[in-house]
Amino acid sequence: LGDFVVKRADGMFGYQLAVVVDDAAMGITDVVRGADLLDSTPRQLALYDALGLKPPAFAHVPLLGDAGGERFSKRDKSLTLAALRGEGVMAERLVGLLGHIAGWLDMPESVRASELVSCFAPIRTGDQPLPISDNMLRWLRS
């Protein structure tokens, strides 16, 4: 692991310590994060151990990307939940699209998250974001 910052020079606590303490205080038992945060997990597990806290179960999911393979990010304002809500996209359509991308549905269809619980299985992919095609986006917004 090597050394990592738990308290910055300006007195602010670092991300690694903050999420461990926050999750422990809230009694979090399961953490699902993007694959881009996979390398943070060993540091957090070391902090749980050092603090004598029981760590949650961790899972990491692939990131989403555009049709060209570029990952979506916070800076990409074109596909935020707020923007989709503003366009009138129903939650069930987004859940259905994500269920299709995850391989739990043969085709995109409007479904409630509770309907996919029995389908849940971790997604195993490479380093590349899961692409969302322009056709998928048109379906989502239709």
Side-chain angles (χ1 to χ4, degrees):
L1 293 178
D3 290 336
F4 56 94
V5 175
V6 293
K7 189 172 184 182
R8 300 185 327 210
D10 65 4
M12 295 294 295
F13 291 100
Y15 168 77
Q16 304 297 347
L17 180 59
V19 296
V20 166
V21 172
D22 190 46
D23 286 354
M26 291 189 298
I28 300 298
T29 58
D30 297 88
V31 173
V32 179
R33 294 189 178 131
D36 58 326
L37 295 174
L38 181 59
D39 63 345
S40 292
T41 304
R43 293 178 187 97
Q44 292 166 17
L45 289 171
L47 287 168
Y48 276 101
D49 186 52
L51 296 170
L53 299 170
K54 182 178 180 197
F58 286 92
H60 295 82
V61 296
L63 301 177
L64 299 177
D66 63 18
E70 292 295 317
R71 81 174 213 185
F72 290 123
S73 68
K74 292 179 202 174
R75 293 180 270 323
D76 183 0
K77 301 297 184 194
S78 64
L79 196 61
T80 64
L81 289 177
L84 292 173
R85 275 191 204 110
E87 294 175 32
V89 173
M90 300 299 296
E92 292 82 2
R93 285 188 82 78
L94 180 57
V95 169
L97 178 61
L98 293 173
H100 171 65
I101 292 168
W104 305 332
L105 297 172
D106 292 333
M107 58 190 306
E109 60 182 274
S110 295
V111 295
R112 294 180 184 275
S114 60
E115 296 174 70
L116 295 179
V117 170
S118 64
C119 301
F120 181 79
I123 303 168
R124 304 220 186 275
T125 64
D127 298 2
Q128 301 304 313
L130 295 176
I132 297 180
S133 69
D134 292 338
N135 286 340
M136 291 177 181
L137 290 175
R138 276 192 288 281
W139 176 85
L140 179 66
R141 292 175 165 134
S142 65

